[in-house]
Amino acid sequence: MGEESNESFAKRLDAAERRSGKLVKEEKAAAQAQDEQSLPALALRAGTEMISALVVGVAIGWGLDHWFKTRAIFLIIFALLGGSAGVLNVWRLVKPPQI
């Protein structure tokens, strides 16, 4: 009986702390610390986004040039489009969320 009342009390205490905002502040501090720790991960992801978009653009351009037997016109166009897509992806990654 005592153990059940302790669990019930702990649940009610957690709910009351959440309502009062005490845990919200602690959760925000923990999230901020996690964000600071993940800065190298963010840089790695940004680089990967940029490189992958550029590689896909170059591959599509090279394939179209090879298929249509043209010079490097499609390669240039799709390399620019891929680079632009990479920059856009990185911008979306690092911009602050809209409230």
Side-chain angles (χ1 to χ4, degrees):
M1 168 107 177
E3 196 170 317
E4 288 180 22
S5 64
N6 285 342
E7 289 177 20
S8 174
F9 176 74
K11 288 180 183 177
R12 288 183 287 142
L13 180 61
D14 286 343
E17 286 177 342
R18 287 190 191 279
R19 283 194 305 268
S20 71
K22 180 179 177 184
L23 285 183
V24 172
K25 291 177 187 174
E26 292 173 0
E27 289 171 356
K28 284 182 182 179
Q32 184 178 10
Q34 184 180 7
D35 287 344
E36 290 173 1
Q37 292 174 354
S38 67
L39 188 60
L42 180 67
L44 181 65
R45 183 172 172 201
T48 303
E49 292 276 350
M50 192 71 189
I51 296 296
S52 63
L54 188 59
V55 166
V56 168
V58 167
I60 291 171
W62 181 82
L64 288 174
D65 280 334
H66 186 70
W67 188 21
F68 291 126
K69 303 212 185 313
T70 59
R71 293 210 161 219
I73 188 70
F74 288 113
L75 179 67
I76 293 169
I77 291 170
F78 279 92
L80 291 173
L81 288 174
S84 300
V87 169
L88 182 63
N89 288 341
V90 171
W91 174 256
R92 288 179 183 161
L93 179 66
V94 298
K95 78 174 184 176
Q98 298 291 328
I99 296 176

